[in-house]
Amino acid sequence: FLMIRRPPRSTQSRSSAASDVYKRQVHGESNSQKKSSQTNSLQMFKLGFRSMTNHFRYAQKLQQLRFFATSNGLKYTQSHEWVRYDEDTQEIFVGITDYAQRELGDIVHVDLPEVGTKFTTGQPLCVIESVKVAADVYTPVTGQVSKHNSLVKEDPSLINRSAEEEWLLGLIVQKFNDLEGLMTKEQYDEYLKTLEK
């Protein structure tokens, strides 16, 4: 009969070792491809999330700009404060209306809170004193004081001379929706007519 000879033990061992190396290489490449695929998927997800976030911020900023696209760039409250949005600093600036300064008379003192003070909508924001009376100014939004007008603090009569140009406080707004109930200049003028009746 035909005798089948086996290769030497050392040759068989080398062949087996080579096979193991090949398997490890293939397996390693497979794992590497999987990791690369997972990394790419994660990067794609991050890019998509970042794009959605940027889109949301842009839409929110556009909404803010449209909200303040009024005849004079101001919005008004029924308690006679005005509000202006600064696109560059993304802050809200608050002052009192011309009607309010006429009602107060000659203003002699303005008591402003410290920067960093937090307020919720409707709270007294600061106090303005005139020769006739002391009056509270109310915050139209929930936010934090970011700055105050030192010129007005040093010379309160600036408010009498240009009330709707001289701001009192800057605020970082936490809830932009708080501003939705504010009036345009035209709406505020109509509101003032109802007070004269």
Side-chain angles (χ1 to χ4, degrees), residues 43-187:
Q43 289 176 344
M44 294 269 301
F45 173 78
K46 288 181 177 179
L47 287 172
F49 180 77
R50 191 177 304 149
S51 177
M52 289 177 61
T53 302
N54 291 338
H55 178 74
F56 174 77
R57 288 175 179 170
Y58 174 77
Q60 186 180 44
K61 188 173 182 180
L62 189 61
Q63 179 189 15
Q64 293 169 351
L65 293 177
R66 286 175 177 171
F67 182 80
F68 283 93
T70 62
S71 58
N72 62 351
L74 303 179
K75 286 290 186 101
Y76 297 84
T77 70
Q78 290 189 354
S79 52
H80 310 293
E81 292 88 16
W82 59 259
V83 177
R84 173 170 55 83
Y85 175 68
D86 190 298
E87 179 184 355
D88 295 328
T89 63
Q90 298 185 1
E91 294 169 298
I92 295 294
F93 290 88
V94 180
I96 66 169
T97 65
D98 190 57
Y99 173 87
Q101 70 83 18
R102 288 199 309 270
E103 291 294 304
L104 287 171
D106 293 335
I107 296 171
V108 294
H109 181 70
V110 179
D111 187 13
L112 301 175
E114 294 294 325
V115 171
T117 307
K118 296 181 179 180
F119 294 92
T120 56
T121 304
Q123 277 190 317
L125 185 62
C126 62
V127 178
I128 294 179
E129 297 179 18
S130 71
V131 293
K132 297 192 299 184
V133 69
D136 289 326
V137 176
Y138 298 93
T139 176
V141 296
T142 296
Q144 181 176 341
V145 177
S146 56
K147 59 185 67 168
H148 51 72
N149 190 344
S150 58
L151 295 178
V152 164
K153 192 172 179 66
E154 293 171 5
D155 184 7
S157 66
L158 288 172
I159 301 172
N160 291 118
R161 297 199 292 272
S162 52
E164 295 190 13
E165 295 178 8
E166 295 295 342
W167 54 277
L168 300 171
L169 294 164
L171 294 171
I172 298 173
V173 182
Q174 294 181 357
K175 297 179 181 179
F176 191 80
N177 290 341
D178 290 344
L179 299 168
E180 290 181 353
L182 300 186
M183 297 176 282
T184 64
K185 174 64 174 173
E186 293 73 21
Q187 291 170 332

